[in-house]
Amino acid sequence: MEIGLKFEELSNMIIEGKHLDAESSTKYLLEMGIDPKNILDEALMKGMGIVGQRFRDQQIFVPQVLISARAMKFSMKALEPYLVGDNALSKGKVLLGTVKGDVHDIGKNLVAIMLQGSGYEVIDIGTGCSAEKFYDEYLKHKTDIVGMSALLTTTMVYMKTVIEFFKEKNVMVPIIIGGAPLNQRFADEIGADGFGRNSYDAVKLVDKILNIN
Ligand code: B1M
């Protein structure tokens, strides 16, 4: 089996939105003993990256992106048990949500899977979350960290509103952010406690903030 070719095939399934093929190809690679992180990086993320470029260049439109996103989700579902494992002990609790006005959730879901895989309990509050929603859910679950995701330049600015809202309520929980258009500078500007470039980074960041080696 030429593994590079298999990754390319799976990547194309994501691009073409063939969700059932993508799911079975992911399962096949896992059964062959391929490292799930390689499947994620070399096939799924690459495919989604190409979808993003074609979308930006207006070679494809929202419906095609949606079917690619569905294929990505089917593959991630197959990968999830391998990435999450069966951690009996919880290293801490993390609240995760995508901010108001934003429906992108694939990256957030991946961060959730990686955090769970590393032993964290994740409270995922979904997409389109207002400052009040983040705050109410935080009060309900008393998590050790709050994490926000945003994929749009128009919605990333709302992260500051959430941070200000927590400050107004005198709640000092660490708040971290992530999403494709963000960077460390933006995190510093809005007073976030950290920025994660990708899901691996997010785990390292949470470990660091909670002093877990
Ligand atoms: Co949208 N979209 N989209 N989209 N979409 C982008 C983001 C865009 C860059 C595409 C482009 O033009 N090239 C562009 C944004 C431009 C900008 O703001 N500068 C864009 C646009 C314009 C839009 C619409 C406005 C299009 C329209 O309607 N005309 C619209 C907005 C809807 C809304 O939210 N209100 C829209 C809609 C959609 C779909 C619904 C079709 C679909 C989302 C489906 C879903 O998520 N359920 C979609 C998709 C799939 C994309 C692209 C193609 C892929 C995003 C993705 O899932 N990537 C995206 C292009 C791109 O990013 N290349 C695009 C894979 C994912 C694993 O990566 O999300 O970056 P990512 O997450 C990473 C890191 O960012 C990080 O870790 C993750 C794993 O490595 N991370 C964190 C994320 N959150 C984190 C949190 C952390 C730490 C790390 O701590 C808390």
mmCIF file of all heavy atoms in Angstrom, residues 111 148 176-180 182-184 187 194-203 205:
data_model
loop_
_atom_site.group_PDB
_atom_site.id
_atom_site.type_symbol
_atom_site.label_atom_id
_atom_site.label_comp_id
_atom_site.label_asym_id
_atom_site.label_seq_id
_atom_site.Cartn_x
_atom_site.Cartn_y
_atom_site.Cartn_z
ATOM 1 N N VAL A 111 -10.410 20.761 18.316
ATOM 2 C CA VAL A 111 -9.752 21.168 19.570
ATOM 3 C C VAL A 111 -10.380 20.376 20.736
ATOM 4 O O VAL A 111 -9.661 19.861 21.605
ATOM 5 C CB VAL A 111 -9.887 22.699 19.789
ATOM 6 C CG1 VAL A 111 -9.429 23.098 21.181
ATOM 7 C CG2 VAL A 111 -9.087 23.458 18.731
ATOM 8 N N MET A 148 -12.495 30.199 23.160
ATOM 9 C CA MET A 148 -13.375 30.706 22.097
ATOM 10 C C MET A 148 -12.739 30.462 20.742
ATOM 11 O O MET A 148 -11.527 30.616 20.579
ATOM 12 C CB MET A 148 -13.559 32.222 22.245
ATOM 13 C CG MET A 148 -14.290 32.642 23.474
ATOM 14 S SD MET A 148 -14.658 34.406 23.372
ATOM 15 C CE MET A 148 -13.155 35.146 23.970
ATOM 16 N N ILE A 176 -8.867 31.611 26.501
ATOM 17 C CA ILE A 176 -7.969 31.414 25.357
ATOM 18 C C ILE A 176 -8.771 31.463 24.055
ATOM 19 O O ILE A 176 -9.986 31.228 24.064
ATOM 20 C CB ILE A 176 -7.172 30.095 25.463
ATOM 21 C CG1 ILE A 176 -8.116 28.889 25.438
ATOM 22 C CG2 ILE A 176 -6.312 30.089 26.705
ATOM 23 C CD1 ILE A 176 -7.410 27.586 25.149
ATOM 24 N N ILE A 177 -8.061 31.768 22.977
ATOM 25 C CA ILE A 177 -8.754 31.913 21.691
ATOM 26 C C ILE A 177 -8.002 31.178 20.585
ATOM 27 O O ILE A 177 -6.813 30.897 20.695
ATOM 28 C CB ILE A 177 -8.912 33.405 21.308
ATOM 29 C CG1 ILE A 177 -7.534 34.084 21.169
ATOM 30 C CG2 ILE A 177 -9.768 34.147 22.326
ATOM 31 C CD1 ILE A 177 -7.610 35.478 20.561
ATOM 32 N N GLY A 178 -8.749 30.891 19.500
ATOM 33 C CA GLY A 178 -8.128 30.272 18.339
ATOM 34 C C GLY A 178 -9.033 30.384 17.129
ATOM 35 O O GLY A 178 -10.203 30.757 17.255
ATOM 36 N N GLY A 179 -8.463 30.110 15.976
ATOM 37 C CA GLY A 179 -9.214 30.220 14.725
ATOM 38 C C GLY A 179 -8.303 30.766 13.652
ATOM 39 O O GLY A 179 -7.409 31.561 13.955
ATOM 40 N N ALA A 180 -8.544 30.365 12.408
ATOM 41 C CA ALA A 180 -7.625 30.678 11.308
ATOM 42 C C ALA A 180 -7.218 32.154 11.172
ATOM 43 O O ALA A 180 -6.049 32.430 10.911
ATOM 44 C CB ALA A 180 -8.198 30.151 10.000
ATOM 45 N N LEU A 182 -6.829 34.447 13.389
ATOM 46 C CA LEU A 182 -6.268 35.066 14.605
ATOM 47 C C LEU A 182 -4.754 34.880 14.690
ATOM 48 O O LEU A 182 -4.183 34.025 14.034
ATOM 49 C CB LEU A 182 -6.883 34.455 15.859
ATOM 50 C CG LEU A 182 -8.386 34.204 15.918
ATOM 51 C CD1 LEU A 182 -8.779 33.772 17.313
ATOM 52 C CD2 LEU A 182 -9.145 35.435 15.534
ATOM 53 N N ASN A 183 -4.139 35.674 15.558
ATOM 54 C CA ASN A 183 -2.727 35.479 15.866
ATOM 55 C C ASN A 183 -2.452 35.955 17.293
ATOM 56 O O ASN A 183 -3.346 36.485 17.962
ATOM 57 C CB ASN A 183 -1.824 36.200 14.849
ATOM 58 C CG ASN A 183 -2.174 37.673 14.740
ATOM 59 O OD1 ASN A 183 -2.541 38.305 15.727
ATOM 60 N ND2 ASN A 183 -2.073 38.217 13.541
ATOM 61 N N GLN A 184 -1.209 35.761 17.703
ATOM 62 C CA GLN A 184 -0.843 36.101 19.084
ATOM 63 C C GLN A 184 -1.039 37.596 19.355
ATOM 64 O O GLN A 184 -1.484 37.990 20.435
ATOM 65 C CB GLN A 184 0.610 35.686 19.352
ATOM 66 C CG GLN A 184 1.063 35.890 20.783
ATOM 67 C CD GLN A 184 0.240 35.074 21.789
ATOM 68 O OE1 GLN A 184 0.091 33.868 21.641
ATOM 69 N NE2 GLN A 184 -0.313 35.734 22.811
ATOM 70 N N ALA A 187 -4.529 38.304 20.123
ATOM 71 C CA ALA A 187 -4.830 37.792 21.476
ATOM 72 C C ALA A 187 -4.353 38.792 22.528
ATOM 73 O O ALA A 187 -5.077 39.086 23.496
ATOM 74 C CB ALA A 187 -4.159 36.430 21.682
ATOM 75 N N GLY A 194 -4.280 33.514 26.033
ATOM 76 C CA GLY A 194 -3.467 32.680 25.157
ATOM 77 C C GLY A 194 -4.118 32.487 23.812
ATOM 78 O O GLY A 194 -5.321 32.704 23.652
ATOM 79 N N PHE A 195 -3.270 32.102 22.843
ATOM 80 C CA PHE A 195 -3.744 31.849 21.484
ATOM 81 C C PHE A 195 -3.217 30.489 21.029
ATOM 82 O O PHE A 195 -2.033 30.194 21.199
ATOM 83 C CB PHE A 195 -3.224 32.961 20.550
ATOM 84 C CG PHE A 195 -3.218 32.577 19.095
ATOM 85 C CD1 PHE A 195 -4.413 32.421 18.410
ATOM 86 C CD2 PHE A 195 -2.019 32.355 18.411
ATOM 87 C CE1 PHE A 195 -4.424 32.044 17.072
ATOM 88 C CE2 PHE A 195 -2.018 31.994 17.070
ATOM 89 C CZ PHE A 195 -3.226 31.840 16.406
ATOM 90 N N GLY A 196 -4.103 29.667 20.479
ATOM 91 C CA GLY A 196 -3.694 28.360 19.956
ATOM 92 C C GLY A 196 -3.787 28.362 18.449
ATOM 93 O O GLY A 196 -4.846 28.645 17.898
ATOM 94 N N ARG A 197 -2.638 28.091 17.780
ATOM 95 C CA ARG A 197 -2.648 28.104 16.304
ATOM 96 C C ARG A 197 -3.423 26.909 15.756
ATOM 97 O O ARG A 197 -4.091 26.998 14.741
ATOM 98 C CB ARG A 197 -1.199 28.086 15.808
ATOM 99 C CG ARG A 197 -1.052 28.072 14.309
ATOM 100 C CD ARG A 197 0.286 28.596 13.844
ATOM 101 N NE ARG A 197 0.627 29.876 14.411
ATOM 102 C CZ ARG A 197 0.125 31.044 13.989
ATOM 103 N NH1 ARG A 197 -0.746 31.065 13.015
ATOM 104 N NH2 ARG A 197 0.481 32.163 14.567
ATOM 105 N N ASN A 198 -3.299 25.770 16.438
ATOM 106 C CA ASN A 198 -4.011 24.570 15.981
ATOM 107 C C ASN A 198 -4.401 23.737 17.202
ATOM 108 O O ASN A 198 -4.155 24.159 18.341
ATOM 109 C CB ASN A 198 -3.137 23.753 15.009
ATOM 110 C CG ASN A 198 -1.781 23.463 15.609
ATOM 111 O OD1 ASN A 198 -1.668 23.097 16.779
ATOM 112 N ND2 ASN A 198 -0.731 23.647 14.834
ATOM 113 N N SER A 199 -4.968 22.569 16.960
ATOM 114 C CA SER A 199 -5.494 21.794 18.089
ATOM 115 C C SER A 199 -4.368 21.260 18.992
ATOM 116 O O SER A 199 -4.560 21.113 20.193
ATOM 117 C CB SER A 199 -6.377 20.657 17.580
ATOM 118 O OG SER A 199 -5.702 19.931 16.586
ATOM 119 N N TYR A 200 -3.212 20.968 18.407
ATOM 120 C CA TYR A 200 -2.090 20.488 19.234
ATOM 121 C C TYR A 200 -1.616 21.621 20.156
ATOM 122 O O TYR A 200 -1.342 21.424 21.338
ATOM 123 C CB TYR A 200 -0.909 20.032 18.359
ATOM 124 C CG TYR A 200 -1.275 19.024 17.306
ATOM 125 C CD1 TYR A 200 -1.089 19.294 15.950
ATOM 126 C CD2 TYR A 200 -1.815 17.783 17.654
ATOM 127 C CE1 TYR A 200 -1.432 18.367 14.978
ATOM 128 C CE2 TYR A 200 -2.165 16.860 16.679
ATOM 129 C CZ TYR A 200 -1.970 17.165 15.350
ATOM 130 O OH TYR A 200 -2.313 16.256 14.383
ATOM 131 N N ASP A 201 -1.515 22.791 19.532
ATOM 132 C CA ASP A 201 -1.118 23.993 20.258
ATOM 133 C C ASP A 201 -2.087 24.289 21.409
ATOM 134 O O ASP A 201 -1.672 24.709 22.493
ATOM 135 C CB ASP A 201 -1.254 25.167 19.265
ATOM 136 C CG ASP A 201 -0.006 25.984 19.178
ATOM 137 O OD1 ASP A 201 1.056 25.402 19.379
ATOM 138 O OD2 ASP A 201 -0.131 27.190 18.907
ATOM 139 N N ALA A 202 -3.368 24.092 21.130
ATOM 140 C CA ALA A 202 -4.402 24.377 22.134
ATOM 141 C C ALA A 202 -4.187 23.512 23.373
ATOM 142 O O ALA A 202 -4.286 23.997 24.509
ATOM 143 C CB ALA A 202 -5.789 24.137 21.537
ATOM 144 N N VAL A 203 -3.847 22.251 23.159
ATOM 145 C CA VAL A 203 -3.617 21.351 24.298
ATOM 146 C C VAL A 203 -2.401 21.822 25.095
ATOM 147 O O VAL A 203 -2.440 21.918 26.333
ATOM 148 C CB VAL A 203 -3.423 19.880 23.823
ATOM 149 C CG1 VAL A 203 -3.039 18.981 24.989
ATOM 150 C CG2 VAL A 203 -4.685 19.370 23.144
ATOM 151 N N LEU A 205 -1.191 24.770 25.257
ATOM 152 C CA LEU A 205 -1.534 26.034 25.904
ATOM 153 C C LEU A 205 -2.312 25.794 27.207
ATOM 154 O O LEU A 205 -2.001 26.386 28.254
ATOM 155 C CB LEU A 205 -2.378 26.861 24.923
ATOM 156 C CG LEU A 205 -2.821 28.238 25.333
ATOM 157 C CD1 LEU A 205 -1.616 29.138 25.569
ATOM 158 C CD2 LEU A 205 -3.705 28.852 24.226
#
